[in-house]
Amino acid sequence: MSVFYKEENNIGTITFDQPDSKVNVLNSATLLTLDKMLDDLKNKSLKVLIIQSAKKDIFIAGADIKEIENITEHADGKSKAQAGQRVMDKIEDLPYPTVAVIDGVALGGGCELALACRYRVMTFNDRIRIGLPEVNLGFVPGFGGTYRLPRLVGLQQALKMIVSASPINSSAAFKCGLADRLYPTVGLSERVAEFVEEIASQPNKRIFKLVALKGLPAFLEKNPLGQMVVYKETIKSIQKATKGFYPAPLKAVEVIRKTLYLPREHALDIESSAFADLAITSISKNLVSLFYLTEKYKKLTVPGAENVKPMPIAKGAVIGAGIMGGGIAQLFSDRGVWARLKDINQDAIAKGLKAAYDVYAQAMKRKKAKPYDVAAKMAMISGTVDYSGFASVDIAIEAVVENMDVKKKVFAEVSNVLSDKAILASNTSSLSVTEMARVSKDPSRVIGFHFFNPVHRMPLIEIITTEYTSQQTLVTTLDFAKKLGKTPVIVKDAPGFLVNRILLGYINEAGRLLDEGGSITSIDRFATNFGMPMGPFTLSDEVGLDVGVKVLHILETGLGPRFKPSRIFDEVLPKKLLGKKSGKGFYIHGKERVVNPEVQALVKTGAGVSEEESIERMMFVMINEAAMILQEKVVDGPDAVDIGMIMGTGFPPFRGGLLRYADSMGIDKLVEAMEKLEARFKDGRFKPCAYILDLKNQGRKFYN
Ligand code: NAI
């Protein structure tokens, strides 16, 4: 049992308390119990019914995602939604006042249950998040959320909450009318009792008014013309943000538009059909699997090191105050870790400090940070040109230029000034961490800690282990990555590690496509049409052509000729067209970005390769590389590849990840198409690697 009923002095209380779990979810069994309970309750003449949770910081976390994941038939989806809707209706129809008492997370079905109550009281608990994030999983709310939320908080606020999938805190809920009262958590039951007396004295009246809008929002809210403007603008912004790849937010708008003036029964019927339409799509299945993947990596542990406790990290050092060093120092300070920033001269340090400040300045501009907080956080970063202060840090991260000799020199020096507990990490994007470990005093405390650019925005960190890395070092670094709010993947030291190795294959293949004709913009467009956040040439301009080609050479040396830079890269590089940082690359980066005719002139005329083949080739080289990574056990499974590609490169989440995409094609088809290309190019780059052939022969997929 996970839901209990109690009655005292004519006040009923329903308490959610799922056994052996930190959270409450609305699964079929709980809904059924609740449904029966409500049949009894409807015949009572209670003063008030209270609905609450016994869990700390949780009201109800949502419907059971596992059950939704298993929906494959429309009829099943519809009936699951209807089962939830029926319960919510029964709550709404009770003949006495109902109060949801919310002191924690109320998402999806949890929020919908609260919406079905006549009143919602919340606390100042900063863990409270209430909202309808369903579109993040590729479907729309299905337990009456699209019907009740706009009626309670207004059309504009409801659309904002449902379409953005962003839950709000209790003070925002109070402001928009979603919460009727806010109380401190301490003494909550006494406050609720007072509230109950208040509402029980006028049982047939809703005693709180809707929050009144003013000005333009008020105009837009009420009249049909204004509402049309609201729908149109919402659709426009969804299309801009999702490029049409995610149907759920658009469907949510459609459902609300159709149902805003319909009676409940009819409106809910439209909602449950829309839910079922979406819940069975592969996009939704991919987004659900990504949800699980993200949860898994948030809680990632080191197998076999369950008894190793992470060491606390309060102070850090960053060596090299460039783009990355400045960004890392900013992140440290933002997360309350002291940062000692070292470079070779004061000018370089000033640049690093400015890079850190610029991140905060942006946040202040967007009203996401307050000047006094920023001042306090910036004060946690101090600059130095020597190693003073290094003896007391818990971790030092090297982010100097990508040059092995320089890095080795730094490693030898720094490992001598650190305490004998401190960890020494490198932010290298492609060089051997093992080599760096060998020149340091204690290789067991050396590890790779590879951030992505820009540090404050990119969620991924690759944690690179060598044969020397101790479990203590790995466990502590993993814990630290989580403390920094990043998603960590653990990768063995190998050329290009995980993400860059796969990504560089894609960029290089784009170069080869261009060698065969076509245009820079069309190849970029093919990639964005597929769902990549930017095309390969745009990406190459962002990263810098010098950096890209350098890494290609490192990969060529380490992994073979498939990474030999394509002709176009070899011809563009000597012209010093480095990309954004030099103002020109494949594009000219002025006020408006235009194709650089100098580079396009190097491309032979002709239509170029078709969109279909272009995508196949760019994807196949990545899939093949990822399979080799699995074969070499650089990472422990397809999950790591998919989370790495999504979090590190923005590989389209709706496709579930690179290897889920490969699975969706079918391994037989994949092998057949790759072999056809191999027969044409005969250079081995499309030759399915042993790992893929094994999958085919055993009739398996990357995921089973
Ligand atoms: P950068 O060129 O912007 O900064 C390097 C800084 O290191 C400069 O300020 C330089 O003065 C300083 N430096 C050089 N030798 C030093 C020494 N002996 N002691 C102290 N400081 C020294 O380089 P960036 O882009 O920040 O890259 C740094 C590292 O991060 C490289 O290993 C790079 O591969 C890696 N990385 C870079 C990414 C990027 O997108 N830029 C992404 C991920 C990793």
Side-chain angles (χ1 to χ4, degrees):
M1 271 282 272
S2 50
V3 51
F4 305 89
Y5 178 71
K6 199 182 79 184
E7 202 176 305
E8 218 172 306
N9 303 327
N10 211 23
I11 294 172
T13 305
I14 291 180
T15 304
F16 284 89
D17 192 5
Q18 195 158 315
D20 308 320
S21 169
K22 278 190 191 159
V23 299
N24 297 314
V25 294
L26 286 180
N27 53 27
S28 297
T30 308
L31 282 172
L32 204 66
T33 316
L34 200 55
D35 198 320
K36 287 200 190 113
M37 201 178 264
L38 287 161
D39 285 340
D40 292 339
L41 280 169
K42 114 178 145 214
N43 301 318
K44 293 189 183 246
S45 52
L46 296 176
K47 201 150 106 180
V48 167
L49 175 72
I50 293 170
I51 301 185
Q52 63 181 23
S53 155
K55 305 282 186 213
K56 186 172 156 41
D57 298 333
I58 296 281
F59 178 64
I60 297 169
D64 188 341
I65 298 176
K66 276 252 172 317
E67 286 184 12
I68 299 175
E69 193 187 10
N70 290 333
I71 298 173
T72 53
E73 301 286 333
H74 189 277
D76 181 31
K78 186 153 173 105
S79 82
K80 286 224 162 75
Q82 284 170 330
Q85 289 177 344
R86 197 166 47 239
V87 170
M88 304 312 159
D89 286 357
K90 285 183 181 176
I91 295 175
E92 190 171 62
D93 294 342
L94 287 171
Y96 34 79
T98 46
V99 186
V101 178
I102 300 167
D103 186 29
V105 172
L107 296 177
C111 174
E112 288 169 305
L113 189 142
L115 285 169
C117 295
R118 205 179 297 176
Y119 300 101
R120 284 146 298 279
V121 304
M122 298 187 194
T123 65
F124 295 106
N125 185 348
D126 62 10
R127 306 298 287 269
I128 290 184
R129 289 288 175 275
I130 181 161
L132 298 172
E134 284 83 348
V135 299
N136 268 350
L137 299 177
F139 42 84
V140 295
F143 292 174
T146 63
Y147 169 78
R148 291 191 179 89
L149 191 62
R151 283 163 179 74
L152 181 67
V153 301
L155 175 66
Q156 293 166 85
Q157 173 69 16
L159 278 175
K160 193 167 126 193
M161 287 178 68
I162 294 174
V163 164
S164 72
S166 306
I168 56 178
N169 60 22
S170 60
S171 65
F174 186 64
K175 253 191 217 157
C176 74
L178 184 50
D180 296 289
R181 287 290 165 95
L182 280 189
Y183 297 126
T185 301
V186 178
L188 180 60
S189 49
E190 288 82 0
R191 298 286 86 75
V192 171
E194 285 167 18
F195 182 73
V196 162
E197 287 310 317
E198 192 182 338
I199 53 177
S201 65
Q202 347 183 22
N204 297 317
K205 202 167 135 203
R206 190 175 196 287
I207 60 171
F208 295 101
K209 276 200 290 259
L210 277 182
V211 175
L213 294 170
K214 285 189 204 114
L216 183 65
F219 168 77
L220 294 174
E221 186 75 31
K222 288 282 173 261
N223 76 67
L225 213 72
Q227 291 177 344
M228 248 162 65
V229 174
V230 170
Y231 292 129
K232 217 172 125 193
E233 287 305 309
T234 309
I235 290 171
K236 214 160 91 188
S237 70
I238 295 171
Q239 266 155 352
K240 191 169 165 223
T242 65
K243 296 181 189 131
F245 291 124
Y246 298 83
L250 290 172
K251 192 81 162 187
V253 177
E254 186 192 314
V255 170
I256 293 176
R257 191 171 62 182
K258 279 189 184 158
T259 60
L260 192 60
Y261 294 106
L262 291 182
R264 185 173 82 185
E265 192 185 348
H266 193 175
L268 292 182
D269 186 55
I270 292 177
E271 184 194 70
S272 58
S273 292
F275 167 82
D277 285 347
L278 292 168
I280 56 175
T281 60
S282 61
I283 293 181
S284 170
K285 301 298 173 213
N286 284 336
L287 292 173
V288 168
S289 70
L290 178 59
F291 169 81
Y292 287 127
L293 203 58
T294 314
E295 291 294 299
K296 168 179 162 181
Y297 278 87
K298 265 191 217 159
K299 296 176 196 140
L300 193 69
T301 51
V302 179
E306 288 73 17
N307 296 327
V308 182
K309 280 225 154 51
M311 295 182 320
I313 292 190
K315 287 189 200 171
V318 182
I319 308 124
I323 304 176
M324 296 305 286
I328 297 168
Q330 186 274 334
L331 182 65
F332 275 20
S333 70
D334 193 35
R335 296 282 164 156
V337 177
W338 295 93
R340 194 91 174 116
L341 186 57
K342 186 209 178 274
D343 208 299
I344 39 187
N345 57 48
Q346 293 293 349
D347 280 355
I349 293 168
K351 273 193 201 144
L353 288 171
K354 181 169 182 310
Y357 182 76
D358 285 348
V359 176
Y360 284 126
Q362 273 176 26
M364 284 192 288
K365 216 169 134 192
R366 286 183 289 111
K367 305 235 176 309
K368 299 265 181 216
K370 301 232 162 61
Y372 53 84
D373 280 335
V374 170
K377 285 176 174 175
M378 279 304 292
M380 295 193 75
I381 309 176
S382 61
T384 174
V385 289
D386 55 30
Y387 291 117
S388 60
F390 271 53
S392 67
V393 301
D394 307 301
I395 191 166
I397 299 182
E398 168 280 309
V400 303
V401 284
E402 188 77 341
N403 173 306
M404 185 51 99
D405 292 334
V406 180
K407 294 213 189 259
K408 275 186 176 166
K409 188 169 160 277
V410 168
F411 262 66
E413 278 174 23
V414 177
S415 65
N416 275 315
V417 292
L418 292 179
S419 79
D420 59 9
K421 285 218 174 69
I423 290 171
L424 176 52
S426 173
N427 182 47
T428 179
S429 41
S430 57
L431 298 172
S432 161
V433 180
T434 309
E435 262 191 64
M436 294 175 222
R438 283 193 185 125
V439 297
S440 66
K441 201 166 131 192
D442 178 1
S444 77
R445 286 184 282 121
V446 171
I447 198 159
F449 204 49
H450 180 208
F451 289 89
F452 289 74
N453 186 14
V455 174
H456 67 287
R457 215 176 310 135
M458 295 299 287
L460 189 72
I461 282 192
E462 288 179 341
I463 297 182
I464 297 127
T465 59
T466 76
E467 59 185 288
Y468 309 110
T469 310
S470 71
Q471 282 203 330
Q472 181 66 67
T473 302
L474 176 56
V475 167
T476 303
T477 315
L478 183 64
D479 185 65
F480 186 50
K482 293 185 210 159
K483 186 170 171 197
L484 294 177
K486 299 294 178 192
T487 303
V489 278
I490 300 173
V491 187
K492 288 218 178 78
D493 191 18
F497 314 127
L498 172 67
V499 169
N500 283 343
R501 173 167 168 186
I502 298 174
L503 194 66
L504 261 295
Y506 155 82
I507 292 182
N508 207 23
E509 192 57 33
R512 291 198 192 97
L513 289 166
L514 198 57
D515 287 348
E516 290 168 44
S519 74
I520 295 167
T521 40
S522 58
I523 295 171
D524 266 359
R525 203 185 48 246
F526 296 161
T528 52
N529 284 350
F530 178 81
M532 298 299 280
M534 58 178 92
F537 299 114
T538 305
L539 179 61
S540 181
D541 271 10
E542 288 287 328
V543 172
L545 197 65
D546 50 340
V547 178
V549 171
K550 192 169 168 183
V551 178
L552 274 174
H553 282 302
I554 292 173
L555 294 173
E556 187 188 359
T557 311
L559 301 166
R562 62 183 183 278
F563 284 104
K564 182 176 163 12
S566 66
R567 177 188 62 90
I568 197 83
F569 290 120
D570 271 344
E571 286 184 15
V572 175
L573 186 63
K575 294 181 185 293
K576 298 264 177 258
L577 300 171
L578 302 183
K580 221 171 183 177
K581 62 181 164 193
S582 66
K584 282 184 186 178
F586 286 93
Y587 293 91
I588 298 175
H589 301 268
K591 250 196 181 149
E592 276 196 21
R593 200 186 66 156
V594 289
V595 167
N596 187 350
E598 216 181 323
V599 181
Q600 188 63 51
L602 298 171
V603 180
K604 74 171 178 213
T605 46
V609 183
S610 73
E611 176 159 4
E612 194 190 344
E613 183 183 321
S614 299
I615 287 298
E616 277 194 344
R617 283 169 52 178
M618 290 191 281
M619 292 303 136
F620 290 174
V621 288
M622 288 203 283
I623 294 167
N624 215 17
E625 205 58 49
M628 284 183 246
I629 284 174
L630 293 178
Q631 190 174 306
E632 294 160 22
K633 298 196 166 33
V634 172
V635 293
D636 64 0
D639 277 356
V641 172
D642 282 347
I643 196 91
M645 290 303 287
I646 292 172
M647 300 291 182
T649 74
F651 189 89
F654 70 92
R655 295 196 186 271
L658 179 66
L659 297 179
R660 271 204 196 272
Y661 168 71
D663 277 353
S664 75
M665 284 182 63
I667 300 296
D668 285 349
K669 266 205 174 144
L670 173 76
V671 169
E672 194 190 315
M674 287 177 77
E675 282 172 344
K676 252 194 209 150
L677 286 169
E678 175 57 20
R680 240 170 75 199
F681 291 99
K682 300 186 182 65
D683 60 4
R685 73 183 196 273
F686 293 113
K687 188 169 177 277
C689 71
Y691 191 95
I692 295 181
L693 291 177
D694 281 351
L695 292 183
K696 179 183 144 89
N697 294 336
Q698 294 160 13
R700 289 189 304 130
K701 295 173 163 192
F702 285 102
Y703 289 92
N704 281 298

